[in-house]
């Protein structure tokens, strides 16, 4: 399936979450963010564009659906985060908390009301390249969006001769509710587990290099970390077992577990690999 968008490059992509009730092939949609600040929603079954929105004035760098698929969160190179409705085509909210630093990650997860003393049916996080992570509780149908936590991770001065710093990446931990994992350029090469309830780092896992990609399995206690040194590390958490795999021709810039957790997709400059998980 291919849909041409003239003169624009696609910067980020997200699948619409599967609805609770299976609607069949017609519910298969992806949203893509482009270099001109536009968002386009595509139907996979009909192989056509269904909606185009323009919530940003700069290139998009991250995009995600809300957990119910009713909203699209998008982040730009200027650090602004927009919340848009694919039903109406309108942008309902713009958040400027990360302004000035490109958004590197947007992720949403379901939560129960009053889990953290705030209203909202969903938690979501935004990460920017200046090593800051914001965590929000939201209920978009009630126009509620409340900042739950704000994290800022220290780092030394940029090393001489390094053209670009490793990305700042964060993800909610599927097997530890109320916990997120962060990797990025910092004082140490490590993955940090941060508890939103305790407001502190509760676990540190040492890494051989600074990470360039991160994914946590939704089905088991596995974490995949990619590195610029053409290496993929698969960790069983707590960090009792770690296995390294070569095979990439360049930096492993993408790790993504399948929803089943049984397969892992990784990508580098000119190679896409699919891995079968041990015991999967």
């Amino acid at each position: 399936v291919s849909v041409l968008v003239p003169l624009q490059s696609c910067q980020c992509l997200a699948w619409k979450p599967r609805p609770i009730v299976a609607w069949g092939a017609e519910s298969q949609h992806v949203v893509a963010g482009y270099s001109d600040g536009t968002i386009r929603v595509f139907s996979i079954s009909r192989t056509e564009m269904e909606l185009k929105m323009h919530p940003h004035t700069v290139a998009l760098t991250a995009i995600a659906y809300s957990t119910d698929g009713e909203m699209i969160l998008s982040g730009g190179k200027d650090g602004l985060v927009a919340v848009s409705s694919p039903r109406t085509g309108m942008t309902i909210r713009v958040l400027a908390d990360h302004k000035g630093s490109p958004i590197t990650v947007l992720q949403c997860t379901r939560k129960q009301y009053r889990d953290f003393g705030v209203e909202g049916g969903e938690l979501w996080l935004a990460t920017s390249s200046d090593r800051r992570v914001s965590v929000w509780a939201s209920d978009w149908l009630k126009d509620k969006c409340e900042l739950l936590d704000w994290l800022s991770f220290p780092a030394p001065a940029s090393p001489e001769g390094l053209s670009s710093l490793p990305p700042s990446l964060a993800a909610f931990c599927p097997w530890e509710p109320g916990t997120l994992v962060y990797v990025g350029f910092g004082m140490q090469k490590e993955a940090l587990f941060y508890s939103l309830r305790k407001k502190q780092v509760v676990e540190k896992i040492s890494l051989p290099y600074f990470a360039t990609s991160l994914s946590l399995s939704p089905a088991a206690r596995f974490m995949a970390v990619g590195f610029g040194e053409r290496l993929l590390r698969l960790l069983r958490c707590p960090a009792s077992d770690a296995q390294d795999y070569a095979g990439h021709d360049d930096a492993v810039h993408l790790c993504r577990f399948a929803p089943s957790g049984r397969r892992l997709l990784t990508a580098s400059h000119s190679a896409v690999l699919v891995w079968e998980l041990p015991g999967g």
Side-chain angles (χ1 to χ4, degrees), residues 57-141:
T57 59
V58 299
L60 272 81
T61 51
I63 200 161
Y65 272 99
S66 60
T67 52
D68 60 6
E70 293 298 313
M71 293 294 168
I72 295 170
L73 284 71
S74 55
K77 194 174 180 180
D78 57 2
L80 297 184
V81 175
V83 183
S84 307
S85 168
R87 287 184 181 272
T88 66
M90 302 292 291
T91 296
I92 64 168
R93 191 182 286 259
V94 175
L95 299 162
D97 299 72
H98 289 269
K99 188 175 181 180
S101 185
I103 301 298
T104 52
V105 177
L106 290 168
Q107 188 192 5
C108 303
T109 186
R110 295 185 188 277
K111 69 176 284 289
Q112 299 298 315
Y113 282 84
R114 297 178 294 278
D115 270 4
F116 298 95
V118 294
E119 284 195 19
E122 177 174 87
L123 281 186
W124 63 275
L125 64 78
T127 309
S128 50
S129 59
D130 57 0
R131 302 175 304 281
R132 293 185 295 169
V133 182
S134 60
V135 183
W136 307 77
S138 62
D139 187 334
W140 301 120
L141 295 179

Side-chain angles (χ1 to χ4, degrees), residues 54-267:
H54 204 157
H56 297 270
T57 59
V58 299
L60 272 81
T61 51
I63 200 161
Y65 272 99
S66 60
T67 52
D68 60 6
E70 293 298 313
M71 293 294 168
I72 295 170
L73 284 71
S74 55
K77 194 174 180 180
D78 57 2
L80 297 184
V81 175
V83 183
S84 307
S85 168
R87 287 184 181 272
T88 66
M90 302 292 291
T91 296
I92 64 168
R93 191 182 286 259
V94 175
L95 299 162
D97 299 72
H98 289 269
K99 188 175 181 180
S101 185
I103 301 298
T104 52
V105 177
L106 290 168
Q107 188 192 5
C108 303
T109 186
R110 295 185 188 277
K111 69 176 284 289
Q112 299 298 315
Y113 282 84
R114 297 178 294 278
D115 270 4
F116 298 95
V118 294
E119 284 195 19
E122 177 174 87
L123 281 186
W124 63 275
L125 64 78
T127 309
S128 50
S129 59
D130 57 0
R131 302 175 304 281
R132 293 185 295 169
V133 182
S134 60
V135 183
W136 307 77
S138 62
D139 187 334
W140 301 120
L141 295 179
K142 295 181 179 179
D143 195 30
K144 289 186 177 180
C145 182
E146 183 176 344
L147 181 64
L148 187 65
D149 212 335
W150 181 265
L151 315 179
S152 186
F153 294 93
S158 301
E160 293 268 342
L162 198 64
S163 58
S164 62
L165 293 177
S168 302
L169 306 171
F172 289 110
C173 184
W175 59 82
E176 289 289 349
T179 302
L180 62 85
V181 180
Y182 171 85
V183 295
F185 181 65
M187 309 305 289
Q188 304 291 334
K189 301 178 181 71
E190 58 190 1
L192 303 176
F193 286 70
Y194 178 88
S195 169
L196 294 167
R197 291 187 176 85
K198 297 180 180 179
K199 304 284 186 182
Q200 66 184 41
V201 173
V202 293
E203 185 180 358
K204 298 180 180 181
I205 296 179
S206 295
L207 300 174
Y209 312 103
F210 288 116
T212 51
S213 54
L214 171 73
S215 184
L216 281 74
S217 170
R221 291 173 172 260
F222 279 110
M223 180 170 69
V225 186
F227 303 101
E229 289 72 16
R230 308 180 183 187
L231 191 71
L232 171 71
R233 172 164 287 192
L234 187 64
L235 291 139
R236 189 189 296 270
C237 300
S240 57
D241 184 27
Q243 291 187 323
D244 292 335
Y245 301 94
H248 286 279
D249 59 349
D250 207 331
V252 185
H253 63 76
L254 177 73
C255 296
R256 194 66 50 84
F257 278 101
S260 67
R262 291 193 294 268
R263 287 185 174 88
L264 172 69
L265 182 143
T266 61

Side-chain angles (χ1 to χ4, degrees), residues 17-54:
R18 232 175 246 236
I20 302 301
V21 179
W23 296 105
E26 291 300 311
S27 67
Q28 295 181 6
H29 291 83
V30 295
V31 62
Y34 287 84
S35 55
D36 63 349
T38 58
I39 290 173
R40 292 171 170 87
V41 178
F42 298 95
S43 166
I44 299 300
S45 54
R46 291 195 291 271
T47 64
E48 65 183 19
M49 185 178 75
E50 292 189 347
L51 177 67
K52 177 182 175 183
M53 298 180 283
H54 204 157

